[in-house]
Each structure stands twice: as structure tokens, then as C-alpha cells.
């Protein structure tokens, strides 16, 4: 499927609700990580409104409960059920417990949670740089742990990446910034490249299970918790210097649209191993300067994807 084959009614301003209009997800089960804020909330709302039973996988279950209560009150009759379960992607035991406790098939997994650009280097309990450890390794462990459930009925895996992947490929020789100076943006970029590479590898490895996997850029969304660690002065300096280019801002409802497209729309049935933005497959870019979209060739490279999968397995034991 190419960009031109995506329905013309979907685009930059499309909302998640518009994507699922007319889509029937009754009998389907979904997990959305990081569903207590930002586009995770809107992703859960849209999937549930179409009839899916949605599990909000969150670190703070009290916050998750509040969101679930609010969402349930506004959903139309016939919507799917909302459940809240604890998941801390930085904690290997939490991830393992979530996967082990899951019973029955899982039809949609939206790996949405993430950490963005903490100013100082932070490490997970296992010693991994936090962005790589949470954004990639946590989701890798979760998804591989749920493989049997995902394979039961041909699931869709959705990996929320970012145009920030243009800041760095995966640097295999120093994943955790043990040798090079820590930089919040190259670290974020590495983790977002890893999100795309994971989708590429899963698409290839699990095709015979009927599983599809795709990655996406949700857009430039101001109203989200993702930026809570960011040094906004540094962001302003980056933009002024031309080091950081941002596409026009989207609402949260618009930001969730591409995730929901890949999770639920018949328009992308069978599509796998691709990177989307603005509800369409992204085109390639050859450099970061001035780019506000597109996908770097290194992020779709099958050799890189296979290597990252093997390294991730080794790191997780």
C-alpha cells in the first residue's frame, strides 16, 4: 500500500473519531500503553467507541481509573469495556507480570507510552538509558511477552514513533551512553528509530502468525504529558538555530488519528512493516536539515531491524 492508496478523506486534520466512524470492533480486545494522558486517552476512546474492549496499561492506576471513568461516562451505548491495569515499562518484573497475567487473544496492541528528552541522563533499574529502556526495551519485552496472545487471531501492533527518529539512528556500539556524552535529543531519536525498527522486524518475523506491525509519527501535539521532562528553553534555541524543525501543531484528537488508523481501519488491512504520518505512509528523506516529516532509510533497514531484535533479546536475557 502506498500513500496514494490511503483514503483521501484521511489526512493532517483527521481525528481518531473520524477514522473509526463506521468501523465495528465488537469482539476485539485492545491494549493501549500510556493511556492515562495525551493521545493514549484519545486512542483508547476511539477504539472503545467502535466496540473494542480496551485495557489502559498505565504506571499510575489511580490516574488510569480517573480516565477510564471519564471516558466511560462519555461513550455511546454499545461501546466496549474499559479496564485499567498497571504497567511500568521501566520495570522488567512489571512488564513480565502484565504479559503473564493476560488471558485469551489480544487483537490490537498500541505501544504508545514514552519518555521524551530528559535533560540529564537517567537510567532504568537495569541500568539502561531511560529513553531506550522505556521507549524501546520496555515495549519490546511487553510485545514479545504477549506474542502468543497476539498470534491467536492475527493482531495489529502499532508502534508510536516520532519524526524525532531523524535525530539519530540506533548506535549499537553505545546504546546506553556509557562512552559518548549524553544528549537528550539523540537519545530520544535513537529510541524512536528503535520503535520503527521493531515494527519492521516484527512484521517479518511474525507474518506467518497473521500479525501486522507498523510505526507512526502522531504529529506535533502541544497538549500532552510527553514533554514534561523537556528543557523548553533548549527547544526554543534549537528551533531558532534550525537544529529542530516542527510540523504545524495538531490537537490531541488529531494526534491519535494515525495510531487508530493503523489499529483499526480496514484501509490498512494487511499492511505491515511501514511508517506512517498524517494517516498516510511517509516518504523517504535523505537528511534531517529542514525536514518536518518523512522517514530515514536507516529506520526501515531490515538488517538494522534484525540486529536490534537480536540485541534486545540478549539485553533482556
Amino acid at each position: 500500500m502506498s500513500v496514494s492508496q490511503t483514503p483521501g478523506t484521511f489526512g493532517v486534520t483527521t481525528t481518531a473519531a473520524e477514522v473509526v466512524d463506521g468501523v465495528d470492533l465488537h469482539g476485539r480486545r485492545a491494549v493501549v500503553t500510556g493511556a492515562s494522558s495525551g493521545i493514549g486517552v484519545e486512542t483508547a476512546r476511539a477504539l472503545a467507541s467502535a466496540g473494542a474492549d480496551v485495557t489502559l496499561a498505565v504506571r499510575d492506576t489511580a490516574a488510569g481509573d480517573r480516565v477510564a471513568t471519564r471516558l466511560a461516562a462519555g461513550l455511546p451505548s454499545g461501546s466496549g469495556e474499559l479496564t485499567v491495569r498497571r504497567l511500568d515499562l521501566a520495570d522488567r518484573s512489571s512488564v513480565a507480570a502484565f504479559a503473564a497475567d493476560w488471558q485469551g487473544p489480544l487483537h490490537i496492541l498500541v505501544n504508545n507510552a514514552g519518555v521524551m528528552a530528559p535533560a540529564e541522563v537517567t537510567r532504568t533499574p537495569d541500568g539502561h538509558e531511560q529513553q531506550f529502556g522505556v521507549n524501546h526495551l520496555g515495549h519490546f519485552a511487553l510485545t514479545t511477552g504477549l506474542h502468543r496472545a497476539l498470534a491467536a487471531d492475527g493482531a495489529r501492533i502499532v508502534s508510536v514513533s516520532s519524526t524525532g527518529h531523524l535525530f539519530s539512528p540506533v548506535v549499537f556500539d553505545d546504546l546506553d551512553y556509557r562512552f559518548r556524552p549524553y544528549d537528550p535529543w539523540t537519545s530520544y531519536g535513537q529510541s524512536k528509530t528503535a520503535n520503527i525498527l521493531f515494527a519492521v522486524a516484527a512484521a517479518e518475523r511474525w507474518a506467518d502468525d497473521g500479525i501486522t506491525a507498523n510505526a507512526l509519527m502522531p504529529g506535533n501535539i502541544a497538549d500532552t504529558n510527553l514533554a514534561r521532562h523537556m528543557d523548553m528553553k533548549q527547544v526554543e534555541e534549537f528551533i531558532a538555530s534550525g537544529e529542530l524543525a516542527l510540523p504545524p501543531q495538531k490537537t490531541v484528537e488529531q494526534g491519535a488519528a494515525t495510531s487508530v488508523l493503523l489499529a483499526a481501519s480496514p484501509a490498512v488491512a494487511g499492511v505491515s512493516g511501514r511508517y506512517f504520518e498524517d494517516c498516510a505512509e511517509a516518504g523517504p528523506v535523505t537528511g534531517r536539515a529542514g525536514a518536518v516529516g518523512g522517514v530515514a532509510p536507516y529506520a526501515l533497514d531490515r538488517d538494522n531491524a534484525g540486529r536490534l531484535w537480536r540485541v534486545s533479546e540478549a539485553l533482556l536475557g
Side-chain angles (χ1 to χ4, degrees), residues 12 22 73 84 92 94 109 114 131 143-144 191-192 223 239 246 263 281 289 300:
V12 177
V84 176
R92 190 182 301 184
S94 174
L109 174 59
Q131 296 187 86
T143 310
T144 54
S191 73
K192 294 290 103 178
D223 185 17
I239 293 173
L246 294 174
E281 188 178 347
L300 294 176

Side-chain angles (χ1 to χ4, degrees), residues 287-305:
R288 178 165 61 83
V292 294
V295 61
Y298 56 71
L300 294 176
D301 185 272
R302 293 172 64 184
D303 290 339
N304 287 346

Side-chain angles (χ1 to χ4, degrees), residues 161-211:
S161 181
S162 168
T163 195
H165 81 275
L166 300 177
F167 275 98
S168 179
V170 172
V171 180
F172 288 99
D173 290 330
D174 191 19
L175 294 170
D176 293 315
Y177 287 80
R178 298 290 184 180
F179 296 94
R180 52 188 167 138
Y182 173 75
D183 176 82
W185 292 107
T186 60
S187 172
Y188 181 67
Q190 172 177 255
S191 73
K192 294 290 103 178
T193 295
N195 290 154
I196 304 172
L197 290 174
F198 172 74
V200 172
E204 181 174 358
R205 286 172 174 260
W206 293 346
D208 290 344
D209 296 320
I211 294 172

Side-chain angles (χ1 to χ4, degrees), residues 184-255:
W185 292 107
T186 60
S187 172
Y188 181 67
Q190 172 177 255
S191 73
K192 294 290 103 178
T193 295
N195 290 154
I196 304 172
L197 290 174
F198 172 74
V200 172
E204 181 174 358
R205 286 172 174 260
W206 293 346
D208 290 344
D209 296 320
I211 294 172
T212 61
N214 292 285
L216 69 117
M217 158 64 169
N220 175 20
I221 304 142
D223 185 17
T224 174
N225 237 6
L226 183 61
R228 63 191 181 276
H229 297 295
M230 291 169 56
D231 181 338
M232 297 311 296
K233 182 178 179 181
Q234 183 185 55
V235 174
E236 292 169 0
E237 291 172 351
F238 272 12
I239 293 173
S241 69
E243 285 292 309
L244 178 65
L246 294 174
Q249 284 192 359
K250 289 185 177 185
T251 66
V252 179
E253 294 82 3
Q254 293 167 340

